[in-house]
Amino acid sequence: MVLPAGFALPPLPYLLGLLLAGGAVAVGLRRRDPPVSARLVLALVPWMLAGAWLHVLDVVGAVPDAVAPLLGTPAAYVTTAVLAGAVWLAVEADDGNERPFAAAGAGLALIALVVGVRWGLAEGTVGVVWPAIAAVLGVAVGIGVWVGLRRVAPAIDDAGVAGALAIVAHSLDGVSTAVGIDVLGATERTPLSRAVIEFGATLPTADLLGSAWLFVLVKLALAAGITALLAESVREAPREGRLLLTFVAAVGLGPGAHNLLLFSITG
């Protein structure tokens, strides 16, 4: 009732490989005991996009069969996290060297984006107007909510870049989902989210605002509430607080970015 449709572990050899690689990277990161700065939070954004867009390639069947098990749900995000951790260790990003780390993530995201667009062009299913509208609106709404929260609850400003990113990411996810459901005829794969959307469709406002407007509000409320709760953690324990908020942001930005590319290349 909670996991999205298509959620499945990869075959055992791939699973063992991911676990071993992930364990090795985790040990390396633990030994280095890295600080988590605001710049590092921003440097992780391209990696979040890369994970989301690599998964899109698996969804549309644009990757070789030998690679596909690493790009399913949730393997794509684990694979990307392992790659990000390995690159971070290789470039020693804890020395204020976040640019090469961010550049590597941006390069991987760009490759996934190009492959996806080429697939869509070959299929004749590229359509970017509504995804572009969703992207602009999602980011704008998220920024507006963050600015408003800082005015009515100044303490939330302690959440910093990670807090702003979390709210914008979930706004992007909510708005892109709403556009996909109400405009493009997409379906929601996560049962809890689908239940919220289905309930929204029963309300009198559905004819005017669509069925997914309630989902957008729920996403924004949850993101704002969690960010407000974690703002104190960022103030008292910056590394742990930023890590938690970065995870919250990834949970929103991953699906949001996934929606935008998937809708763009499948018409």
Side-chain angles (χ1 to χ4, degrees):
M1 294 296 295
V2 177
L3 298 177
F7 186 98
L9 296 177
L12 186 58
Y14 290 90
L15 180 60
L16 289 176
L18 281 177
L19 290 175
L20 289 173
V25 169
V27 169
L29 291 173
R30 184 175 179 83
R31 288 178 177 175
R32 293 277 287 278
D33 195 25
V36 181
S37 65
R39 289 186 303 178
L40 181 59
V41 172
L42 291 175
L44 286 167
V45 171
W47 290 96
M48 298 177 194
L49 297 177
W53 291 343
L54 286 171
H55 180 47
V56 171
L57 301 185
D58 176 65
V59 171
V60 300
V63 293
D65 292 341
V67 178
L70 295 174
L71 302 181
T73 304
Y77 301 104
V78 178
T79 300
T80 307
V82 171
L83 289 173
V87 171
W88 187 94
L89 289 169
V91 301
E92 298 181 344
D94 58 336
D95 293 331
N97 197 30
E98 293 90 355
R99 288 185 179 179
F101 174 67
L108 183 59
L110 181 61
I111 291 171
L113 179 63
V114 169
V115 172
V117 171
R118 289 186 62 183
W119 180 90
L121 290 172
E123 296 291 321
T125 54
V126 172
V128 300
V129 174
W130 280 108
I133 292 173
V136 172
L137 187 59
V139 172
V141 169
I143 292 174
V145 170
W146 171 248
V147 171
L149 285 172
R150 290 177 64 192
R151 290 183 178 177
V152 301
I156 202 173
D157 197 40
D158 291 333
V161 170
L165 178 62
I167 290 176
V168 171
H170 282 273
S171 175
L172 184 66
D173 182 24
V175 172
S176 64
T177 298
V179 169
I181 297 292
D182 290 328
V183 179
L184 302 177
T187 57
E188 174 57 46
R189 298 192 302 168
T190 305
L192 286 177
S193 299
R194 187 166 60 246
V196 173
I197 293 169
E198 290 174 351
F199 178 73
T202 67
L203 299 177
T205 53
D207 290 338
L208 178 63
L209 300 177
S211 61
W213 68 269
L214 182 62
F215 176 73
V216 178
L217 290 184
V218 169
K219 292 283 290 184
L220 288 171
L222 286 174
I226 293 171
T227 300
L229 288 173
L230 291 177
E232 184 177 354
S233 297
V234 176
R235 181 172 59 252
E236 297 179 355
R239 181 174 64 175
E240 290 76 10
R242 288 191 185 114
L243 278 175
L244 287 171
L245 276 172
T246 301
F247 176 77
V248 172
V251 172
L253 185 57
H258 175 276
N259 288 344
L260 294 177
L261 181 57
L262 182 64
F263 298 159
S264 294
I265 66 175
T266 59

